[in-house]
Amino acid sequence: VELVESGGGLVQPGGSLRLSCSASGFTFSDYYINWVRQAPGKGLEWVSSITGPGDVTYYADSVKDRFTISRDNAKNTVTLQMNSLKSEDTALYYCAADSRGPLQYCRRGYCYWDHRSEYTYRGQGTQVTVSL
């Protein structure tokens, strides 16, 4: 099994980057594909998920309306288009596959999506740095 991320780099605030993930060694279309990130000194943060068929997408509130996830099951690839990047988006971004999707959590009338379980497969990551 292999997940290989690419497309990271240095970008100014407000700029855009497009991350790609290429997968092999498992039945790609059977799995949710997620993007997760880890900023320096922080834990792993779920960013976005897409269902196996690619018909439903999910986003963390911190990236909603700025990031777009998509997949091409014919090519075993997933893409994360990141727009309006902020300094707080600086992190190592990983592509991760799992049979389970994110869950919705609600607290005091506020509901949000998150993926808190272990991922079945995860790549080595690509660095995204947002800075002047």
Side-chain angles (χ1 to χ4, degrees), residues 17 52 78:
L17 277 177
V78 173

Side-chain angles (χ1 to χ4, degrees), residues 14-119:
S16 298
L17 277 177
R18 187 179 181 89
L19 304 184
S20 294
C21 172
S22 179
S24 61
F26 63 102
T27 307
F28 184 70
S29 59
D30 283 354
Y31 286 79
Y32 287 82
I33 300 297
N34 309 270
W35 285 97
V36 298
R37 66 188 182 185
Q38 187 164 24
K42 296 189 176 181
L44 207 59
E45 177 190 12
W46 171 77
V47 173
S48 181
S49 299
I50 187 166
T51 57
D55 54 347
V56 184
T57 57
Y58 307 85
Y59 299 94
D61 283 355
S62 59
V63 306
K64 194 175 181 180
D65 299 325
R66 298 189 298 123
F67 291 10
T68 302
I69 189 171
S70 60
R71 71 190 293 163
D72 185 340
N73 285 344
K75 297 181 179 179
N76 281 15
T77 58
V78 173
T79 298
L80 185 70
Q81 177 66 43
M82 306 187 297
N83 299 329
S84 302
L85 283 162
K86 306 175 181 179
S87 58
E88 51 262 46
D89 295 318
T90 295
L92 187 60
Y93 282 71
Y94 299 93
C95 171
D98 195 33
S99 58
R100 299 155 295 186
L103 298 177
Q104 192 173 50
Y105 298 85
C106 295
R107 181 174 59 188
R108 297 180 182 177
Y110 169 69
C111 296
Y112 60 96
W113 292 97
D114 199 5
H115 190 299
R116 300 179 178 178
S117 54
E118 295 280 334
Y119 298 97

